[in-house]
Amino acid sequence: MFTHLHIHTQYSLLEGAIRIKDLAAALKEKGYDSCAITDHGNMFGAIEFYHTMKAANLKPIIGVGASVAEESEQQLNYYGRKKSSPGQIQLLCLNRAGYQNLSFMLSLSYTDGKVNGTPCINYQLLEKYNEGLIALSGGMNSQINRFLLNGRIDEARRIAIWYRDLFCDRYYIELQNTGLPDQKSLNSLLSSSISSAAFLKRSYSWSRFIRFARGSSSSSSSTDCLGKSIRDLISARKAAITRYSAASSNRISLRASMYCIYCFVI
């Protein structure tokens, strides 16, 4: 049975719009028996998600889309900011120890680990507190995929091998079908260059990056909600911005309206 392992809820500001209750209802309607949430950099929805899923007789899998800063890359530029932005991985809790370790690392990311304002965990934390966690290589913005898209295959392999050695059989290469232009070639690189027998076991995780719970049926394969295409969502966002622009001549109210649109429509 397929299980969604890469979902952003309403607790991922600007990156998701799924309400937890709506998510549970959609899962029941479509016949799923389990699901993970991986909000970006936080576990704010974990308690609500757990109780809502249990009440619906569904299995909750708690996780996070974590930003990871590699210590060797943390160098300041002339403006006092870090040169490189952190990549992302998906961390899923396997048991109670994993939940406690993930909670602890995220707390430290907010108090001591911000990079250009983004809460990050680093390699040292992962080395100490990876027990009970499953790691997925991540989506288009992951550490490995960034290197692959820039033609730096050796660097991508180095990162993959580091995670393989650390997580052993708890590390999986994440393959997606988002319909984005680079996705097909990226999946080919991941399966051929990164997961070759010389580097990794062929452990894959097929996932869909979900940010919306419901929508009308569509024949498009470019979906990031349960049945609604990205093109439909972009059109809806543009139409909403146009309506708010026409209805408001006040710059401040327009700015507030557009912020709401990005929170709940994008």
PDB file of all heavy atoms in Angstrom, residues 92-103 105 129-133:
ATOM      1  N   LEU A  92      12.030  11.017   9.257  1.00  0.00           N
ATOM      2  CA  LEU A  92      10.809  10.392   9.755  1.00  0.00           C
ATOM      3  C   LEU A  92      11.102   9.644  11.054  1.00  0.00           C
ATOM      4  O   LEU A  92      12.141   8.991  11.187  1.00  0.00           O
ATOM      5  CB  LEU A  92      10.251   9.404   8.723  1.00  0.00           C
ATOM      6  CG  LEU A  92       9.960   9.960   7.327  1.00  0.00           C
ATOM      7  CD1 LEU A  92       9.551   8.829   6.394  1.00  0.00           C
ATOM      8  CD2 LEU A  92       8.885  11.029   7.378  1.00  0.00           C
ATOM      9  N   CYS A  93      10.173   9.740  12.004  1.00  0.00           N
ATOM     10  CA  CYS A  93      10.354   9.089  13.299  1.00  0.00           C
ATOM     11  C   CYS A  93       9.992   7.610  13.199  1.00  0.00           C
ATOM     12  O   CYS A  93       8.869   7.263  12.825  1.00  0.00           O
ATOM     13  CB  CYS A  93       9.484   9.760  14.356  1.00  0.00           C
ATOM     14  SG  CYS A  93       9.887  11.497  14.648  1.00  0.00           S
ATOM     15  N   LEU A  94      10.938   6.771  13.560  1.00  0.00           N
ATOM     16  CA  LEU A  94      10.724   5.326  13.544  1.00  0.00           C
ATOM     17  C   LEU A  94      10.133   4.828  14.856  1.00  0.00           C
ATOM     18  O   LEU A  94       9.381   3.863  14.891  1.00  0.00           O
ATOM     19  CB  LEU A  94      12.054   4.619  13.263  1.00  0.00           C
ATOM     20  CG  LEU A  94      12.071   3.112  13.104  1.00  0.00           C
ATOM     21  CD1 LEU A  94      11.241   2.691  11.902  1.00  0.00           C
ATOM     22  CD2 LEU A  94      13.509   2.609  12.942  1.00  0.00           C
ATOM     23  N   ASN A  95      10.464   5.518  15.951  1.00  0.00           N
ATOM     24  CA  ASN A  95      10.000   5.123  17.278  1.00  0.00           C
ATOM     25  C   ASN A  95      10.070   6.324  18.220  1.00  0.00           C
ATOM     26  O   ASN A  95      10.328   7.449  17.782  1.00  0.00           O
ATOM     27  CB  ASN A  95      10.837   3.946  17.813  1.00  0.00           C
ATOM     28  CG  ASN A  95      12.343   4.209  17.680  1.00  0.00           C
ATOM     29  OD1 ASN A  95      12.807   5.342  17.847  1.00  0.00           O
ATOM     30  ND2 ASN A  95      13.095   3.160  17.355  1.00  0.00           N
ATOM     31  N   ARG A  96       9.855   6.081  19.513  1.00  0.00           N
ATOM     32  CA  ARG A  96       9.859   7.171  20.496  1.00  0.00           C
ATOM     33  C   ARG A  96      11.228   7.850  20.568  1.00  0.00           C
ATOM     34  O   ARG A  96      11.309   9.078  20.704  1.00  0.00           O
ATOM     35  CB  ARG A  96       9.449   6.639  21.873  1.00  0.00           C
ATOM     36  CG  ARG A  96       9.400   7.712  22.960  1.00  0.00           C
ATOM     37  CD  ARG A  96       9.004   7.108  24.298  1.00  0.00           C
ATOM     38  NE  ARG A  96       7.639   6.637  24.272  1.00  0.00           N
ATOM     39  CZ  ARG A  96       6.588   7.402  24.559  1.00  0.00           C
ATOM     40  NH1 ARG A  96       6.758   8.670  24.903  1.00  0.00           N
ATOM     41  NH2 ARG A  96       5.373   6.901  24.524  1.00  0.00           N
ATOM     42  N   ALA A  97      12.290   7.061  20.501  1.00  0.00           N
ATOM     43  CA  ALA A  97      13.636   7.647  20.551  1.00  0.00           C
ATOM     44  C   ALA A  97      13.852   8.594  19.382  1.00  0.00           C
ATOM     45  O   ALA A  97      14.453   9.669  19.536  1.00  0.00           O
ATOM     46  CB  ALA A  97      14.693   6.538  20.540  1.00  0.00           C
ATOM     47  N   GLY A  98      13.361   8.218  18.205  1.00  0.00           N
ATOM     48  CA  GLY A  98      13.479   9.091  17.052  1.00  0.00           C
ATOM     49  C   GLY A  98      12.714  10.389  17.232  1.00  0.00           C
ATOM     50  O   GLY A  98      13.196  11.464  16.860  1.00  0.00           O
ATOM     51  N   TYR A  99      11.522  10.300  17.813  1.00  0.00           N
ATOM     52  CA  TYR A  99      10.716  11.493  18.078  1.00  0.00           C
ATOM     53  C   TYR A  99      11.445  12.435  19.037  1.00  0.00           C
ATOM     54  O   TYR A  99      11.494  13.654  18.822  1.00  0.00           O
ATOM     55  CB  TYR A  99       9.359  11.101  18.652  1.00  0.00           C
ATOM     56  CG  TYR A  99       8.474  12.265  19.014  1.00  0.00           C
ATOM     57  CD1 TYR A  99       7.704  12.906  18.050  1.00  0.00           C
ATOM     58  CD2 TYR A  99       8.416  12.727  20.324  1.00  0.00           C
ATOM     59  CE1 TYR A  99       6.901  13.985  18.373  1.00  0.00           C
ATOM     60  CE2 TYR A  99       7.611  13.806  20.662  1.00  0.00           C
ATOM     61  CZ  TYR A  99       6.855  14.426  19.683  1.00  0.00           C
ATOM     62  OH  TYR A  99       6.068  15.501  20.015  1.00  0.00           O
ATOM     63  N   GLN A 100      12.015  11.877  20.085  1.00  0.00           N
ATOM     64  CA  GLN A 100      12.731  12.702  21.059  1.00  0.00           C
ATOM     65  C   GLN A 100      13.983  13.330  20.438  1.00  0.00           C
ATOM     66  O   GLN A 100      14.285  14.504  20.680  1.00  0.00           O
ATOM     67  CB  GLN A 100      13.091  11.853  22.276  1.00  0.00           C
ATOM     68  CG  GLN A 100      11.871  11.412  23.079  1.00  0.00           C
ATOM     69  CD  GLN A 100      12.211  10.423  24.176  1.00  0.00           C
ATOM     70  OE1 GLN A 100      13.265   9.768  24.142  1.00  0.00           O
ATOM     71  NE2 GLN A 100      11.332  10.300  25.159  1.00  0.00           N
ATOM     72  N   ASN A 101      14.718  12.549  19.653  1.00  0.00           N
ATOM     73  CA  ASN A 101      15.925  13.087  19.011  1.00  0.00           C
ATOM     74  C   ASN A 101      15.587  14.180  18.013  1.00  0.00           C
ATOM     75  O   ASN A 101      16.278  15.207  17.940  1.00  0.00           O
ATOM     76  CB  ASN A 101      16.695  11.961  18.312  1.00  0.00           C
ATOM     77  CG  ASN A 101      17.480  11.100  19.279  1.00  0.00           C
ATOM     78  OD1 ASN A 101      17.885  11.560  20.345  1.00  0.00           O
ATOM     79  ND2 ASN A 101      17.689   9.843  18.930  1.00  0.00           N
ATOM     80  N   LEU A 102      14.535  13.977  17.226  1.00  0.00           N
ATOM     81  CA  LEU A 102      14.148  14.981  16.239  1.00  0.00           C
ATOM     82  C   LEU A 102      13.671  16.257  16.924  1.00  0.00           C
ATOM     83  O   LEU A 102      14.017  17.368  16.494  1.00  0.00           O
ATOM     84  CB  LEU A 102      13.056  14.418  15.332  1.00  0.00           C
ATOM     85  CG  LEU A 102      12.657  15.275  14.131  1.00  0.00           C
ATOM     86  CD1 LEU A 102      13.864  15.600  13.262  1.00  0.00           C
ATOM     87  CD2 LEU A 102      11.583  14.571  13.302  1.00  0.00           C
ATOM     88  N   SER A 103      12.903  16.117  17.994  1.00  0.00           N
ATOM     89  CA  SER A 103      12.437  17.286  18.742  1.00  0.00           C
ATOM     90  C   SER A 103      13.616  18.074  19.302  1.00  0.00           C
ATOM     91  O   SER A 103      13.639  19.317  19.246  1.00  0.00           O
ATOM     92  CB  SER A 103      11.511  16.848  19.886  1.00  0.00           C
ATOM     93  OG  SER A 103      10.371  16.188  19.395  1.00  0.00           O
ATOM     94  N   MET A 105      16.813  18.135  18.206  1.00  0.00           N
ATOM     95  CA  MET A 105      17.583  18.786  17.144  1.00  0.00           C
ATOM     96  C   MET A 105      16.866  20.013  16.597  1.00  0.00           C
ATOM     97  O   MET A 105      17.493  21.048  16.317  1.00  0.00           O
ATOM     98  CB  MET A 105      17.881  17.796  16.017  1.00  0.00           C
ATOM     99  CG  MET A 105      18.912  16.742  16.369  1.00  0.00           C
ATOM    100  SD  MET A 105      19.501  15.804  14.923  1.00  0.00           S
ATOM    101  CE  MET A 105      18.017  14.861  14.514  1.00  0.00           C
ATOM    102  N   TYR A 129      22.445  12.238  17.156  1.00  0.00           N
ATOM    103  CA  TYR A 129      21.027  12.044  17.472  1.00  0.00           C
ATOM    104  C   TYR A 129      20.233  11.455  16.301  1.00  0.00           C
ATOM    105  O   TYR A 129      19.079  11.810  16.084  1.00  0.00           O
ATOM    106  CB  TYR A 129      20.405  13.370  17.903  1.00  0.00           C
ATOM    107  CG  TYR A 129      21.087  14.021  19.068  1.00  0.00           C
ATOM    108  CD1 TYR A 129      21.877  15.152  18.888  1.00  0.00           C
ATOM    109  CD2 TYR A 129      20.976  13.496  20.359  1.00  0.00           C
ATOM    110  CE1 TYR A 129      22.526  15.755  19.947  1.00  0.00           C
ATOM    111  CE2 TYR A 129      21.621  14.083  21.426  1.00  0.00           C
ATOM    112  CZ  TYR A 129      22.395  15.214  21.220  1.00  0.00           C
ATOM    113  OH  TYR A 129      23.045  15.799  22.283  1.00  0.00           O
ATOM    114  N   ASN A 130      20.823  10.528  15.563  1.00  0.00           N
ATOM    115  CA  ASN A 130      20.109   9.907  14.442  1.00  0.00           C
ATOM    116  C   ASN A 130      19.363   8.639  14.827  1.00  0.00           C
ATOM    117  O   ASN A 130      18.612   8.092  14.009  1.00  0.00           O
ATOM    118  CB  ASN A 130      21.085   9.608  13.300  1.00  0.00           C
ATOM    119  CG  ASN A 130      22.062   8.498  13.644  1.00  0.00           C
ATOM    120  OD1 ASN A 130      21.750   7.315  13.563  1.00  0.00           O
ATOM    121  ND2 ASN A 130      23.270   8.890  14.042  1.00  0.00           N
ATOM    122  N   GLU A 131      19.535   8.170  16.057  1.00  0.00           N
ATOM    123  CA  GLU A 131      18.860   6.940  16.471  1.00  0.00           C
ATOM    124  C   GLU A 131      17.339   7.093  16.347  1.00  0.00           C
ATOM    125  O   GLU A 131      16.758   8.103  16.742  1.00  0.00           O
ATOM    126  CB  GLU A 131      19.216   6.600  17.914  1.00  0.00           C
ATOM    127  CG  GLU A 131      18.557   5.324  18.423  1.00  0.00           C
ATOM    128  CD  GLU A 131      18.811   5.072  19.889  1.00  0.00           C
ATOM    129  OE1 GLU A 131      19.592   5.827  20.506  1.00  0.00           O
ATOM    130  OE2 GLU A 131      18.203   4.115  20.421  1.00  0.00           O
ATOM    131  N   GLY A 132      16.702   6.080  15.802  1.00  0.00           N
ATOM    132  CA  GLY A 132      15.252   6.084  15.706  1.00  0.00           C
ATOM    133  C   GLY A 132      14.709   6.930  14.580  1.00  0.00           C
ATOM    134  O   GLY A 132      13.503   7.193  14.526  1.00  0.00           O
ATOM    135  N   LEU A 133      15.557   7.358  13.652  1.00  0.00           N
ATOM    136  CA  LEU A 133      15.121   8.201  12.545  1.00  0.00           C
ATOM    137  C   LEU A 133      15.395   7.527  11.203  1.00  0.00           C
ATOM    138  O   LEU A 133      16.404   6.850  11.034  1.00  0.00           O
ATOM    139  CB  LEU A 133      15.827   9.558  12.574  1.00  0.00           C
ATOM    140  CG  LEU A 133      15.483  10.477  13.739  1.00  0.00           C
ATOM    141  CD1 LEU A 133      16.392  11.701  13.726  1.00  0.00           C
ATOM    142  CD2 LEU A 133      14.022  10.894  13.691  1.00  0.00           C
TER     143      LEU A 133
END
